[in-house]
Amino acid sequence: MTIRISMWSGPRNISTAMMRSFGARADTFVSDEPYYGAYLKDTGFAHPMADEIIEAMDCDWASLTRTLNGDPADGSAIWYQKHMPSEMVGSVGIGDLADHRHAFLIRDPARMIASYDKKMEEVTFEDMGVERLHLFFRMEADRLGYAPPVVEGADILDAPGPMLEALCQALSIPFDPAMLQWEPGRRDTDGVWAPHWYNRVEESTGFEGDDRGPVEIPAGYEALYERCRPHYEALKSYKIEL
C-alpha cells in the first residue's frame, strides 16, 4: 500500500531541496506542486511561464485529487508530494487528501519575502500562504487529535541528518541516509517552471548554507511581514526540536 506524504510550505523555503532529498530515496516517487497549473488557470495570475505551466499540467481540481489519492506512476512504496497552500484556491483542500501523511515546512516570513521579492514584481499576503498553511495545520491536528510534524528549513540546514531522521520518525517511515546527498541537475519530475526558479537547487548536491542571522525586509513590506509573523510563530511553537 502506498504511503502518501504531503509536504506543505510557503514559497522560497527549502521545499525543492526537500523534494530532492526524498527523491534520492530508492523507494520514493516525488511530485512537484501538482496543483500549480489549476491555480494559475483559475486565477489568471501572470506568473513566470504561466502559459507553459497550464498547457503542461492537468488543471482540473477533481481529476488531480483523484490522481494524488491513488498510486504513483512508477509504483513506488512512498509518494512525496510537494504542495503550496497558496495554490489551493479551487474546490479542494487538505481534507480531500485525508489518506496522506501531512507535514509542514516553515521559514521566517522576513526571509521568504526578501527572497520572493527577487523573483516577482510584487509580493502579496496570499503569495506567502502562511494563513492557509496555519489553517491546514489546525485542520489536520483536529483530524488526528494531535499535532502533525512541523519542521523549519533553518533547522534542517543546520543538522540535516538528525532533523530528517526525526521527520521520518514522525511520518512513520524509515530514515534513509541517501536523503542527505543527490546528483546535481534537473529532474523529469521537476515542474516546467524549473528554469525560472530552480537554478540554485539544480547546482546543489545536498543541503547547503544556513538560514540564520539578520535579514532586511524589502522597503514597503514591513506591514506584510507583521501580518505573516503570527502565523509563523504559531506553527513554530509546534516544530520538531532535537
Side-chain angles (χ1 to χ4, degrees):
M1 182 177 178
T2 300
I3 296 171
R4 301 173 199 87
I5 297 171
S6 283
M7 178 64 79
W8 299 91
S9 77
R12 312 310 290 169
N13 206 321
I14 60 165
S15 57
T16 308
M18 287 290 286
M19 184 175 69
R20 285 284 189 274
S21 175
F22 274 84
R25 298 174 61 111
D27 61 356
T28 301
F29 181 78
V30 301
S31 289
D32 191 6
E33 296 181 45
Y35 288 109
Y36 193 20
Y39 162 77
L40 291 175
K41 184 176 181 180
D42 276 18
T43 62
F45 289 156
H47 280 207
M49 304 182 67
D51 290 342
E52 295 94 325
I53 294 165
I54 293 168
E55 178 67 25
M57 302 185 76
D58 180 355
C59 295
D60 180 85
W61 295 95
S63 170
L64 278 166
T65 304
R66 285 193 298 271
T67 298
L68 296 172
N69 281 325
D71 296 325
D74 68 349
S76 291
I78 298 173
W79 189 355
Y80 180 91
Q81 301 174 13
K82 170 191 165 191
H83 291 298
M84 297 282 171
S86 59
E87 296 168 3
M88 304 300 287
V89 299
S91 56
V92 300
I94 192 171
D96 296 286
L97 303 172
D99 291 330
H100 294 222
R101 300 178 189 181
H102 297 276
F104 298 82
L105 177 64
I106 61 172
R107 189 187 190 192
D108 182 338
R111 294 182 179 278
M112 291 169 58
I113 293 166
S115 181
Y116 201 71
D117 181 55
K118 295 176 182 177
K119 292 286 188 177
M120 299 289 286
E121 292 184 5
E122 181 183 11
V123 186
T124 70
F125 182 67
E126 289 72 23
D127 290 333
M128 296 297 95
V130 291
E131 183 175 43
R132 191 174 283 121
L133 186 70
H134 189 193
L135 171 63
F136 281 5
F137 170 83
R138 295 200 312 270
M139 290 174 66
E140 180 65 2
D142 288 345
R143 185 181 76 88
L144 294 172
Y146 56 87
V150 178
V151 288
E152 184 151 27
D155 295 336
I156 293 172
L157 292 174
D158 286 347
M163 284 302 304
L164 289 173
E165 189 168 0
L167 174 61
C168 287
Q169 182 177 4
L171 291 168
S172 298
I173 62 172
F175 170 68
D176 186 342
M179 299 174 72
L180 299 175
Q181 195 169 15
W182 52 83
E183 293 295 321
R186 196 164 297 169
R187 305 288 191 272
D188 291 340
T189 49
D190 289 348
V192 296
W193 51 89
H196 181 79
W197 296 99
Y198 292 174
N199 55 308
R200 289 190 62 185
V201 79
E202 286 175 5
E203 298 171 357
S204 71
T205 58
F207 291 100
E208 303 166 354
D210 64 67
D211 207 37
R212 306 291 184 184
V215 61
E216 184 175 349
I217 300 169
Y221 288 122
E222 296 82 3
L224 173 59
Y225 168 72
E226 291 300 331
R227 191 177 175 190
C228 291
R229 187 171 59 84
H231 298 289
Y232 163 71
E233 295 291 347
L235 289 166
K236 185 178 178 181
S237 68
Y238 290 95
K239 74 174 184 176
I240 293 173
E241 300 274 10
L242 295 179

